[in-house]
Amino acid sequence: MSNYIEEIKLILSKARQKAYTAVNTAMVDAYWLIGKRIVEQEQHGEEKAVYGEAILKELSKALTFEFGKGFSYANLRNFRQFYLIYPENEICYTLCSNLTWSHNRLIMRIENRDARTYYLNEASAQGWSVRTLERNINTFYYQRLLSSDNKPGKLGKGQQLKQSPEDFIKDPFIFEFLNIQQSTAVNESEIEAALIENLQQFLLELGKGFTFAGRQFRIGTETEHFYIDLVFYNYLLKCFVLIDLKTCKLTHQHVGQMDMYRRMFDDLKKPEGDNPTIGIILCTEKSETVVKYSVINDNPRLFATKYMRYLPTEEELIAEVEREKVKLNLFNSDKEVD
């Protein structure tokens, strides 16, 4: 009898979800069409729109009287902006309609077109909540991804993003969800414990495809044993990802240690058919000298990246991202010369 009741509940739950999805898609499409009609009315056949508050205020009054809340002057301006951002209805129907209006309102305010496309795709594919999307936008999630040959959001129509380690590494990582004040002194074990306690947020910050495999993961030979801070598996990259936490500036000893962990893991733990293991050193400050002249320079599976325990201001984040871009360009230029 219990199975019978549960099956009925499941049927109703699925039906409600389908109904919600259908209604959401219809409303997003309707808002785009309303925006299109507003623009056409304002332009009166002219190439350049002549914006008039009177048109929107009159429309707002009529729609509110007929349909109730949701058609304020501000919302109608959003509908108009929605159409102006996505004038091709194909984008609206294939991407925007997969997300709620709350998602779309956040994304359409992003000035960078490539970033908008990235957030549209990722929010839909990864099922980001509105809160997660807002957090990722505010922390410049897209901009923090390290440059690669296949940059997110810059793919042509019909192309597939070739997954590579660079597509998943950010600089810096932001761990504001740990609620550890910037001035508070903590050790690596405390950071590690806080990340595990907030594992869901940590996985979202790491990116798509990650699953947790272990903490203080033991690996060794018959004579010696070592412990890796955090181990994950990424099913998109089809490989294990090792993370070593440091509460100091990157050193060549850190790099050597992670390189050894990665080699040992490949030799002792990597399943046949998997890709080589990735090693990531998370530190509070990077050393470009160490990065340039250590094995990181020659190993595409080894990374050093900065992490921040607090949410920086927008200005600080932009400055940090721009610094990393400049360093990366210089680094790549040096490699081309070599």
Side-chain angles (χ1 to χ4, degrees):
M1 185 69 175
S2 60
N3 288 339
Y4 163 76
I5 295 175
E6 291 304 316
E7 287 175 4
I8 297 296
K9 288 180 179 179
L10 183 60
I11 291 171
L12 289 173
S13 295
K14 288 183 177 180
R16 285 181 176 178
Q17 184 58 43
K18 287 181 179 179
Y20 172 79
T21 300
V23 169
N24 174 75
T25 299
M27 293 310 298
V28 171
D29 290 346
Y31 295 156
W32 184 87
L33 289 169
I34 291 171
K36 181 175 185 289
R37 189 64 187 88
I38 289 172
V39 170
E40 291 172 346
Q41 179 66 22
E42 288 177 333
Q43 291 183 181
H44 291 297
E46 299 294 331
E47 183 176 344
K48 186 176 180 180
V50 180
Y51 296 109
E53 291 187 8
I55 293 176
L56 292 184
K57 287 181 178 178
E58 180 182 355
L59 179 60
S60 173
K61 186 182 298 184
L63 294 179
T64 301
F65 178 80
E66 181 73 21
F67 299 100
K69 296 180 180 179
F71 299 98
S72 65
Y73 172 76
N75 278 347
L76 292 180
R77 285 176 59 91
N78 283 331
F79 299 163
R80 179 176 64 190
Q81 185 64 20
F82 187 43
Y83 169 73
L84 292 173
I85 291 292
Y86 307 110
E88 301 93 359
N89 59 2
E90 181 181 351
I91 295 178
C92 178
Y93 292 135
T94 58
L95 293 177
C96 301
S97 60
N98 291 331
L99 300 170
T100 69
W101 176 239
S102 296
H103 285 89
N104 281 295
R105 277 190 305 177
L106 288 172
I107 296 173
M108 73 182 191
R109 289 179 170 83
I110 300 171
E111 293 185 6
N112 185 290
R113 182 177 180 179
D114 295 328
R116 282 201 307 270
T117 302
Y118 173 79
Y119 288 118
L120 278 173
N121 281 301
E122 291 301 298
S124 177
Q126 304 305 315
W128 286 349
S129 66
V130 175
R131 182 177 179 180
T132 297
L133 172 63
E134 185 173 24
R135 186 261 178 189
N136 288 343
I137 292 173
N138 290 340
T139 59
F140 293 88
Y141 193 98
Y142 169 78
Q143 288 85 346
R144 287 188 287 122
L145 289 170
L146 290 181
S147 299
S148 66
D149 291 335
N150 298 293
K151 294 182 180 179
K154 289 193 174 182
L155 298 176
K157 182 179 178 181
Q159 286 183 284
Q160 295 293 321
L161 176 64
K162 181 182 178 182
Q163 306 291 359
S164 65
E166 291 87 353
D167 296 322
F168 294 80
I169 307 299
K170 306 178 191 69
D171 207 341
F173 280 92
I174 305 295
F175 298 151
E176 91 290 348
F177 50 83
L178 300 181
N179 295 318
I180 301 175
Q181 294 184 359
Q182 182 182 2
S183 58
T184 304
V186 291
N187 58 39
E188 292 162 7
S189 296
E190 291 171 322
I191 296 266
E192 179 185 314
L195 288 172
I196 296 302
E197 288 176 6
N198 297 272
L199 186 58
Q200 184 177 3
Q201 292 95 321
F202 186 26
L203 288 170
L204 287 171
E205 173 65 5
L206 285 176
K208 55 189 176 182
F210 282 91
T211 57
F212 180 61
R215 173 188 180 189
Q216 290 300 307
F217 196 101
R218 192 176 96 165
I219 186 171
T221 61
E222 295 179 355
T223 57
E224 288 188 87
H225 296 288
F226 302 91
Y227 295 86
I228 304 168
D229 289 342
L230 299 168
V231 176
F232 294 85
Y233 188 82
N234 190 289
Y235 62 85
L236 294 176
L237 296 173
K238 201 177 180 182
C239 70
F240 281 96
V241 180
L242 316 181
I243 293 181
D244 204 11
L245 290 166
K246 301 299 177 185
T247 55
C248 57
K249 186 175 182 178
L250 179 71
T251 68
H252 67 277
Q253 289 93 339
H254 300 153
V255 177
Q257 181 184 50
M258 176 52 78
D259 187 44
M260 182 188 71
Y261 287 165
R262 200 192 62 77
R263 292 172 185 269
M264 289 183 67
F265 209 95
D266 272 351
D267 188 42
L268 302 173
K269 298 291 184 180
K270 183 175 79 68
E272 185 177 353
D274 268 17
N275 291 317
T277 302
I278 294 172
I280 303 174
I281 307 166
L282 290 178
C283 50
T284 55
E285 185 180 353
K286 284 170 60 176
S287 167
E288 295 309 314
T289 299
V290 172
V291 171
K292 183 175 181 178
Y293 293 104
S294 70
V295 292
I296 290 179
N297 188 4
D298 305 312
N299 194 328
R301 314 292 291 187
L302 192 59
F303 299 90
T305 182
K306 180 177 178 178
Y307 69 92
M308 304 175 81
R309 294 188 281 121
Y310 65 98
L311 184 63
T313 65
E314 182 175 338
E315 292 75 17
E316 288 175 324
L317 264 176
I318 293 174
E320 186 72 33
V321 170
E322 290 303 317
R323 278 196 297 270
E324 290 306 318
K325 283 183 179 179
V326 171
K327 291 175 184 177
L328 188 63
N329 289 335
L330 291 174
F331 183 74
N332 289 336
S333 297
D334 289 343
K335 291 182 71 175
E336 289 177 3
V337 172
D338 295 339

